[in-house]
Structures are given as C-alpha cells and as structure tokens.
Amino acid sequence: MVMYANRINSIPPYLFAEVDRAKQQKIKEGVDIIDLGVGDPDLPSPDYVIESLCKAVKDPETHQYPSYSGSNVFRGEVAEWFKARFGVTLDSTKEIITLIGSKEGVAHIPLAFVNPGEYALCPNPAYPVYSIGTILADGKPYDMPLLSENGFKPDLSKIPKEVIKNTNLMFVNYPNNPTGAVADKSFFREVIDFGKDNDIVIAHDNAYSEMGYDGYKAPSILEMPGAMDCCIELHSLSKTSNMTGWRIGFAVGNADIVAGLGKVKMNVDSGAFLAIQMAAIDALKRSDEFSAKMNNIYQERRDALLVGLKALGIDMPKPKATFYVWAPVPKGNDSIGYAKYLLDKAGIVATPGIGFGKYGEGYVRFSLTKSVGRINEAVERMKKL
C-alpha cells in the first residue's frame, strides 16, 4: 500500500483540477460550455515573441543547461523594464532571479524562509499556492481575511502577537486574485513597516501589475522607501503577455531574500529554458504596447459582464485590475452550489469562492477569458435561469 507523507495528505484537492473535471464531464455529455473559470488567456502569445523563440531555439547554445538564476541578458532586460515601469533601480546580478513562472517562485519561497511549525501569513481568499507552498515546507498557513468592508485588504492589527512572533514570511497580492481589488501606496507603507518591525519577509505577488482599466496603473511595493530591506516581488509574463504555457517570470527585491530563493532553486530545478528567456526579452521590450491592446479587450469584456450581472440584480463596483470579476452569489446560495447550478443548468463555468479559502464563501469568480459575444451569451443563459 502506498503511504503518502502527512504534508501531502494535508493538501486539499486543487481547485482548478476539480473545476476542470466537472467541465470535462459536461463536454462529454455534449454541453456547449462557456468557460469563465480558470484565468488562462484565450488569445495567443504575440507573433514577435513566437518568432523570437523560433530563432533562439535554432541556436544550439540554448539547448544546454541554463543558469538557475537566469541569463544575464534576460535579467538585464528585467532591470531596464522595472526602471522604466516603476522607477526602481535594480542590480541585475543580485536583486533579480528568473522563475519558471511566478507559481514556481511562490511555491519555493516558504522552503527558504519558513521553518517547520512556523507560520506564513496568507491572505484568504487567495491563490491557493500561498498556503500549499507553506504546507509543503512543513509550515502553518495563518489566514488573513480579505473582507469587502476593508476593501479586500488584511487588517494587520488583528493578527495575534503570538502568531507574529512565530512568523517569518507574509504573502500579499495586489492587484488581487481572486477579488480584483487594488492597493495604494499607503497600504504598502503599512505592510513594509509591519515587516521591518517584526523581521518578516514580505513576498508581494504582482503577477497582474500590467492588467489595469480606466487609466489605472498598479504600483510596485518596491517603489516605497524601505521596501528593499524586507521585500521580494514576483512578476509573470503569463497573463500580461499571454504566455501561460511558456512558464517564465522573475522575482526582484532584497538581495538576501533573492539569494534565499535562489538557493532553493539551485537545488531543485535547472533554470528556465534559455530560448524562452530570449523570447521573453522581446516580450518585455514591447510589453506596454501589448498590454494596452489586451487591456482594451478585457475592459470591454468586463463592462459587458457587469452590465449583464446588473440586469440579474448583481450590482457591484467595476474592478480596476486583473481579468476577474468577484461576484456575490444570489441570496440563499453558497458558492459551490451556485457554481454547480450555473454549470448544470447553463453550461457556464465559474469558480466557487470557497475554493480560494473560507473567506471566499458567498462569491464566485468569473474570468474575462472569452469574447464579448460569448460573455453576452453567458449572461442570456443566466437570465433564462
């Protein structure tokens, strides 16, 4: 009999895998599915990025083991992009590390900074990997509730002192998945001061930094004075350059924190494929142009969905960022029941909020990853219910 380690047994079923199984069953039954569940861009990677990859992969030197920390050229381009985008100067040799997608970095950070039995402060609801990575490091996730009355930001004053004393890592994520909430610099000031006062590493997941609407541009936590003392920030080309399958991202920040993550990576992976890093350089060089194009598309989809939801009696503020709509479920429903109802009766995939943590109950997350026409069709199906 196969016996799994306790840490594996303690991990809940991965939310998106469960949603996908239910979706696939409906497809087998012949249902026309409109998938607004998983946040995977429906439009392709830019042509110039694909062409860059094709050129790079023909160079035999890209076929060898890459540096685990990333090529000097790619990290240099990251430094230039970060300076132009956020006004922050980085040392590409010490303060930048290449990731095989930001998910990999999120999962590995607890291995570097969380001892067995220690806490990591994790937002809830949230991307599940914050807590799962902590569990895999034999740490204990401590939930920081993200509630609508607080703008879906944690109330740091409510974290017990005995928890803080046994904490070395805190995750934050703005623009936020799944809520779509944004944070201003005053919030980041509070987080940085909290980290410095309590010797806690702050890991800011900024994977949605380039997805903003109505003129909104997300800040970096590293723009704040003192952030380089305790912060690391993770970025990804997955959503902002439609490169989810390419698995490429980067982390930047305090040199010692970056080195800690690097030591984990040195021992568990062999770095991102060099040809993909070369293509990612071209993605970064033209990221402003591509993001502007995609944001116009997502904004139109967002507006179409919100108009439809309002007609159904679900009235909510427009999210300023991400490509998610965090919608309250109709009264008398829970999130799993409502998501199942939408799938069974209308062929619509939405992600139940409870899958992002217990404080996600009462919501479903819609992803803006289908055309306006399909979103309008989804709304019409919901109206018929």
Side-chain angles (χ1 to χ4, degrees):
M1 180 179 177
V2 175
M3 299 293 290
Y4 292 114
N6 290 337
R7 67 178 69 88
I8 295 296
N9 288 327
S10 65
I11 294 175
Y14 192 56
L15 169 69
F16 301 126
E18 295 294 308
V19 171
D20 190 60
R21 274 193 285 270
K23 179 184 76 173
Q24 293 303 324
Q25 180 58 41
K26 286 297 176 183
I27 291 174
K28 286 181 182 179
E29 296 170 6
V31 176
D32 175 28
I33 294 294
I34 301 177
D35 189 353
L36 305 178
V38 178
D40 194 355
D42 57 312
L43 298 175
S45 307
D47 289 343
Y48 52 86
V49 176
I50 297 170
E51 292 166 5
S52 179
L53 175 66
C54 292
K55 179 180 178 181
V57 82
K58 291 177 182 178
D59 181 352
E61 290 189 10
T62 65
H63 302 177
Q64 298 174 326
Y65 282 123
S67 163
Y68 76 89
S69 59
S71 77
N72 291 334
V73 180
F74 176 68
R75 287 184 291 158
E77 184 60 39
V78 169
E80 289 188 19
W81 177 82
F82 216 87
K83 176 66 174 178
R85 173 65 175 83
F86 299 110
V88 175
T89 300
L90 297 167
D91 182 340
S92 64
T93 65
K94 298 178 181 179
E95 296 172 340
I96 301 174
I97 190 167
T98 306
L99 301 175
I100 309 173
S102 59
K103 180 178 182 179
E104 172 256 304
V106 168
H108 283 155
I109 284 175
L111 291 172
F113 298 105
V114 179
N115 290 310
E118 286 184 343
Y119 291 105
L121 305 179
C122 301
N124 185 321
Y127 186 41
V129 185
Y130 306 143
S131 58
I132 290 173
T134 300
I135 292 168
L136 290 175
D138 290 328
K140 297 185 292 186
Y142 182 85
D143 289 339
M144 299 186 295
L146 305 187
L147 307 176
S148 61
E149 55 263 35
N150 200 36
F152 296 109
K153 290 184 280 293
D155 185 343
L156 304 185
S157 68
K158 291 187 177 180
I159 302 171
K161 291 182 180 180
E162 58 270 24
V163 170
I164 295 173
K165 289 179 182 177
N166 198 30
T167 296
N168 197 39
L169 177 65
M170 174 182 178
F171 286 105
V172 288
N173 163 224
Y174 294 96
N176 183 260
N177 172 26
T179 70
V182 298
D184 58 21
K185 291 183 179 180
S186 65
F187 172 76
F188 288 140
R189 175 77 275 147
E190 180 185 4
V191 168
I192 293 165
D193 291 343
F194 179 84
K196 292 174 71 173
D197 290 345
N198 297 288
D199 295 322
I200 293 174
V201 170
I202 306 299
H204 180 224
D205 180 1
N206 206 4
Y208 298 91
S209 67
E210 304 313 290
M211 304 180 80
Y213 314 116
D214 305 315
Y216 177 76
K217 296 204 77 168
S220 164
I221 197 170
L222 300 183
E223 294 179 45
M224 301 300 297
M228 291 298 287
D229 295 335
C230 64
C231 296
I232 187 170
E233 185 167 89
L234 298 98
H235 286 260
S236 170
L237 282 81
S238 290
K239 308 300 196 299
T240 54
S241 293
N242 293 5
M243 295 171 68
T244 49
W246 297 60
R247 310 314 307 136
I248 186 71
F250 52 89
V252 300
N254 175 278
D256 292 332
I257 301 174
V258 169
L261 174 58
K263 192 164 187 178
V264 175
K265 288 176 58 60
M266 184 189 302
N267 286 281
V268 300
D269 72 55
S270 297
F273 182 27
L274 186 55
I276 290 179
Q277 292 186 61
M278 296 299 102
I281 289 172
D282 285 326
L284 285 173
K285 285 182 181 298
R286 298 176 65 175
S287 66
D288 286 353
E289 166 193 338
F290 188 74
S291 293
K293 171 187 171 184
M294 291 306 305
N295 288 344
N296 286 334
I297 292 171
Y298 289 133
Q299 182 170 320
E300 184 182 10
R301 294 176 180 183
R302 177 204 66 176
D303 292 346
L305 180 57
L306 290 180
V307 167
L309 292 177
K310 186 174 183 179
L312 294 168
I314 302 174
D315 196 3
M316 53 179 294
K318 289 183 178 181
K320 293 182 179 180
T322 78
F323 57 1
Y324 302 121
V325 170
W326 186 241
V329 302
K331 290 181 179 179
N333 293 270
D334 60 45
S335 62
I336 290 178
Y338 187 61
K340 187 175 186 300
Y341 180 69
L342 288 176
L343 180 60
D344 289 342
K345 302 298 183 181
I348 297 167
V349 178
T351 308
I354 191 68
F356 297 99
K358 65 180 181 180
Y359 294 101
E361 185 52 85
Y363 294 85
V364 291
R365 192 194 73 178
F366 293 103
S367 297
L368 303 173
T369 50
K370 288 290 181 268
S371 69
V372 169
R374 288 292 269 174
I375 287 174
N376 286 335
E377 183 178 349
V379 169
E380 290 304 312
R381 291 186 190 183
M382 285 189 281
K383 286 180 181 178
K384 291 178 182 179
L385 297 179

